Amino acid sequence: MNKLNINIKTGLYLLFFALVVNISACTKDFKSINTDKNTIATVGPAELPFLFSKALSAAPHDMYNYQVAQNLFADQYAQYFACEATYFPSDRLVIRQDWVGAAFDPMYTDVMPQLQTIFANTDSMSAEYAMASIWWVYTFHRVTDYWGPIPYFQAGKVSTPSVPYDPQDKIYDDFFKRLATAVAVLNQHHGENHFGSYDLIYGGDVDHWIKFANSLRLRLAIRISKVDPARAKIEGEAAYAGGVMTVSAPITDPTANPGGDDALVNRSTKGNDGNGLSIMSDWNEFRMSASMESVLKGYNDPRMQEYFLPAVNTNQYDGLRNGLSVNQLTQPANNYNNNSHVGKRWSSTNVTDINGNVTGSATSLSTRQNIMCSAEVYFLRAEGAMLGWNMGGTPQTLYNQGITASFNQWGITDATVINNYINSTATPIAPGDFLNSPPMTNIPVLFNTSNPAIQLEQIMTQKWLALYPDGQEAWADYRRSHVLKLYPVVNSDNPDITNTSTQWIRRIPFLLSEYQTNGAEVTKAVNLLGGPDKVTTPLWWDKN
């Protein structure tokens, strides 16, 4: 595996060279580094903030990796969007290995060396070390939740002929230990600021990083609640007791930090740092899914106008089913102008209505990217409360607070509007799509007080709505619980999935490039899966 078998010093030289050229001279040795090809950059305290920024920017996928790392896979498997392009087979469940590697390789080249360098050059009791460790967990929980076993404990250390894969349960164990240790360290630094403006999420605010770490720990605890319920309860209750996200501040300017607890990473028009969803929105290759249409329309959900734009030809909010065939995609009802474009904050000024009026935004590339938000945490707590965990409230109270937080996040703060939605008995509708699909499900927003199965579906459905547009987390959550009643994919071109009503994508197979360059270790990794290296083999935490 060539990209993992890196010499850290050499990789660091290349990284540092790029930083000083593209940002500004940040060391007195700029001239010598820039001219002496044999010079290895010496990393000191002044360089660490740049490395942290790079790691924060790269982990959620840069703007040119986003489509092939996330949108063509997780975003569509979570059914936030459906594919409009006849030349993309991933919505019909075909895994293009030459695309999805964008969710793997950059984590080992653009995130891991940066964080390992911070670890090597800071005290383990420092806030900087702890913040880097939290981001390490965020980065690699997304990688392992795509593939299962991944190179982890030995990756990026020294150059060796091969790099072993590690089992997912051991990786999760390390996640929990890292987060607990990081929070314990940061608790000694309350009120302090570290990394300052180089922290692209919280501007260096340690107290917010504590909440983020505990919230992430709660997410992972819920993730393993079926496979290891005892450990999940311990981790989940400790996370809540340590302090989690609770406040969503309305996003009035999508490019600026609104305050509150929500974690969103800054994006800009410099380099590849733009918002990935925004850059691809002009390409007209994806639109609102029929699942989103059914639920948002049925609930008369005011977030719909934040999430999507009306279709150009109809001025209505319309979506299409996932997995349409090439022939079906050529039908007029499925044309991209007859279905809803992603919302204004992710749409450029090239996006217009039928009269040519601009419906996009001049700042779309700078729209901050969702990392984790308070609404999700309330729904995690609601599910934890259903499991008998101490989450500081009842499932119903936490469910209602989750809806309120999500509305607030998207700028919907009118108490009457929120209260009417929470108490609504409306249910999802038939989307009126090309296939005359039925409603996605039949549950109302109003929390059921007697049926636990309905309660859980309500929590998972509202959580799915609140996670938008983070398809990577939504897809992981769907696989973990399989409670959300998404439509079956219309057509499967994947020979391993012959019945889309009973089968679904459960993981990404190991990369062909890994078989070619790290083959012996990948072969061992297959044995860690507990099944063949196929999309139908569930991950360790997937007990459905």
Side-chain angles (χ1 to χ4, degrees):
M1 182 166 129
N2 295 339
K3 289 191 176 181
L4 283 179
N5 296 341
I6 59 173
N7 179 296
I8 290 297
K9 288 185 178 180
T10 302
L12 190 55
Y13 167 72
L14 295 173
L15 168 71
F16 182 67
F17 180 81
L19 285 170
V20 295
V21 169
N22 287 297
I23 300 174
S24 65
C26 57
T27 172
K28 295 178 181 178
D29 295 327
F30 173 79
K31 183 176 180 180
S32 63
I33 293 172
N34 212 15
T35 57
D36 184 354
K37 302 302 182 182
N38 296 315
T39 298
I40 298 298
T42 299
V43 176
E47 285 70 53
L48 299 184
F50 290 100
L51 302 183
F52 192 57
S53 286
K54 176 63 176 179
L56 294 179
S57 179
H61 312 307
D62 72 35
M63 68 179 183
Y64 291 118
N65 279 332
Y66 183 91
Q67 182 182 38
V68 289
Q70 179 169 323
N71 181 266
L72 289 172
F73 300 99
D75 286 355
Q76 294 178 18
Y77 300 155
Q79 294 191 19
Y80 284 150
F81 310 114
C83 187
E84 279 278 7
T86 59
Y87 42 84
F88 288 153
S90 54
D91 201 23
R92 294 186 296 276
L93 309 183
V94 174
I95 304 299
R96 282 288 300 265
Q97 292 271 339
D98 52 337
W99 297 345
V100 77
F104 186 89
D105 293 338
M107 303 308 115
Y108 292 96
T109 58
D110 295 342
V111 181
M112 176 177 278
Q114 289 74 5
L115 297 181
Q116 287 178 327
T117 302
I118 293 172
F119 297 149
N121 288 274
T122 57
D123 188 282
S124 61
M125 296 302 292
S126 69
E128 290 84 358
Y129 190 106
M131 292 160 68
S133 195
I134 294 165
W135 196 245
W136 175 283
V137 175
Y138 171 81
T139 300
F140 289 100
H141 94 283
R142 286 158 54 92
V143 181
T144 186
D145 287 351
Y146 254 31
W147 281 277
I150 58 171
Y152 186 77
F153 291 105
Q154 298 302 315
K157 288 191 174 180
V158 294
S159 183
T160 59
S162 59
V163 180
Y165 280 58
D166 297 293
Q168 192 171 38
D169 61 328
K170 301 300 183 185
I171 294 170
Y172 261 69
D173 178 64
D174 187 66
F175 290 163
F176 288 124
K177 290 176 179 176
R178 281 180 177 269
L179 291 173
T181 299
V183 169
V185 169
L186 291 183
N187 279 333
Q188 306 303 311
H189 297 274
H190 274 297
E192 296 179 7
N193 187 291
H194 294 269
F195 287 130
S197 62
Y198 294 95
D199 170 8
L200 305 179
I201 298 177
Y202 290 124
D205 188 317
V206 164
D207 292 348
H208 274 117
W209 275 91
I210 292 172
K211 291 183 179 182
F212 173 52
N214 285 323
S215 300
L216 182 56
R217 187 179 181 185
L218 180 57
R219 174 192 279 182
L220 300 182
I222 287 290
R223 188 89 89 236
I224 69 166
S225 58
K226 286 186 177 180
V227 68
D228 192 348
R231 175 73 181 273
K233 184 174 190 291
I234 291 170
E235 298 293 343
E237 290 186 337
Y240 167 67
V244 295
M245 298 175 178
T246 57
V247 179
S248 279
I251 301 175
T252 55
D253 177 359
T255 69
N257 188 339
D261 296 333
D262 295 348
L264 299 98
V265 67
N266 290 343
R267 289 307 190 193
S268 77
T269 57
K270 299 177 181 178
N272 293 339
D273 285 338
N275 187 296
L277 187 58
S278 299
I279 190 68
M280 61 173 291
S281 70
D282 278 0
W283 305 338
N284 294 322
E285 293 170 336
F286 71 101
R287 285 295 187 266
M288 172 197 250
S289 74
S291 296
M292 289 296 278
E293 180 190 355
S294 174
V295 176
L296 290 172
K297 274 188 174 179
Y299 288 162
N300 193 26
D301 196 314
R303 289 171 293 188
M304 183 164 61
Q305 60 189 311
E306 298 296 329
Y307 291 0
F308 297 99
L309 294 172
V312 171
N313 286 345
T314 65
N315 202 36
Q316 301 293 319
Y317 291 97
D318 292 305
L320 63 161
R321 286 282 296 275
N322 288 85
L324 296 178
S325 69
V326 171
N327 181 62
Q328 288 170 328
L329 285 171
T330 63
Q331 302 305 307
N334 298 321
N335 181 274
Y336 62 80
N337 279 332
N338 289 321
N339 291 283
S340 289
H341 194 280
V342 70
K344 178 178 181 178
R345 70 190 63 209
W346 302 283
S347 301
S348 79
T349 53
N350 292 325
V351 179
T352 62
D353 63 18
I354 195 168
N355 296 315
N357 299 311
V358 173
T359 53
S361 167
T363 60
S364 62
L365 284 181
S366 298
T367 292
R368 302 181 87 223
Q369 188 169 336
N370 293 50
I371 300 299
M372 191 174 191
C373 297
S374 300
E376 177 194 348
V377 179
Y378 280 113
F379 294 121
L380 291 169
R381 290 169 62 191
E383 185 176 353
M386 288 195 68
L387 294 171
W389 301 0
N390 180 6
M391 291 284 103
T394 66
Q396 181 174 4
T397 298
L398 294 166
Y399 169 83
N400 290 342
Q401 288 177 310
I403 292 172
T404 301
S406 182
F407 274 45
N408 287 342
Q409 175 189 344
W410 298 101
I412 304 161
T413 57
D414 187 299
T416 300
V417 171
I418 297 171
N419 189 61
N420 288 344
Y421 182 89
I422 286 173
N423 290 287
S424 172
T425 57
T427 58
I429 64 168
D433 65 315
F434 171 73
L435 296 173
N436 295 316
S437 303
M440 193 189 86
T441 186
N442 62 356
I443 58 169
V445 177
L446 180 65
F447 196 73
N448 187 287
T449 58
S450 60
N451 188 320
I454 294 176
Q455 291 173 355
L456 185 58
E457 186 186 351
Q458 289 177 311
I459 291 169
M460 300 310 297
T461 300
Q462 286 296 328
K463 183 180 177 186
W464 173 66
L465 292 174
L467 281 168
Y468 180 91
D470 185 2
Q472 200 153 337
E473 177 54 28
W475 181 47
D477 204 48
Y478 172 70
R479 291 176 286 150
R480 186 269 307 177
S481 68
H482 208 62
V483 170
L484 183 68
K485 294 180 179 177
L486 299 176
Y487 289 120
V489 171
V490 178
N491 298 288
S492 170
D493 289 346
N494 189 320
D496 292 325
I497 295 184
T498 57
N499 185 339
T500 60
S501 294
T502 59
Q503 296 174 293
W504 57 94
I505 298 274
R506 304 179 83 148
R507 61 179 289 272
I508 304 294
F510 295 130
L511 295 176
L512 177 61
S513 61
E514 279 290 280
Y515 275 106
Q516 293 170 339
T517 60
N518 196 31
E521 296 300 335
V522 178
T523 300
K524 294 177 186 176
V526 174
N527 295 328
L528 301 176
L529 278 173
D533 184 18
K534 295 184 176 183
V535 297
T536 50
T537 296
L539 299 185
W540 165 70
W541 42 252
D542 177 358
K543 307 308 291 183
N544 298 294

